[in-house]
Amino acid sequence: MDPEPPTERTERRWLLAMCLLLAVMMAVVVGTSLAHALHPPSNVETVDPLRLHLAGEFVENNLGAEVEADGSVTVRLLAQQYSFVPNCLILPADTPIKFRITSPDVIHGFLLVATNVNTMVVPGFVAEVHTRFAVGDYTMPCHEYCGLAHHDMWARVAVVPKDQFSQLGSTQRRRCAAH
Ligand code: CUA
């Protein structure tokens, strides 16, 4: 049998290098999504943006943080021109937190600086994001241009140790006073 021509040997090596590169990139994507929960928000859930204030989970007195039976926390928020409702939250550290957020008017952005929380808020849809926090203060700016006062649209989240959170009254647990 003839020895392998040099061009074929080179091609085979490039093919192998490409396959290895693809395997490494795939491993990075899977690894970061599992280890750091970094993945695009993929919740598709519709809601009528004209009726948010009338009935259902986004009525005013249901907004804010709610402690679930299993100890996790669900936070319901509205993003609207030009504020988040509520615009101040106190949350426990090292606890599974689920944000559910929607908009009654235009597209806003929902970002918590230095966390994996980053999504668009589209009227007609409920965006859902899962995270856990370390103790600290987090700012929550709207990062999608939504009109003239877009730059003034932001909220803040204070994350406190679990035991400190459980000592708060039920009103403070739901939302803190406006800044
Ligand atoms: Cu809301 Cu920019």
Side-chain angles (χ1 to χ4, degrees), residues 85-149:
V85 185
N87 69 353
C88 177
L89 291 162
I90 303 178
L91 294 174
D94 302 319
T95 303
I97 312 273
K98 176 168 81 183
F99 285 98
R100 289 174 58 75
I101 179 165
T102 189
S103 162
D105 42 44
V106 300
I107 295 177
H108 299 275
F110 175 47
L111 167 76
L112 275 153
V113 178
T115 72
N116 67 330
V117 176
N118 185 346
T119 187
M120 283 167 78
V121 185
V122 183
F125 293 88
V126 179
E128 188 172 298
V129 186
H130 299 254
T131 194
R132 295 175 91 93
F133 291 107
V135 171
D137 285 319
Y138 298 83
T139 49
M140 196 168 100
C142 174
H143 66 62
E144 196 74 46
Y145 183 77
C146 53
L148 284 178

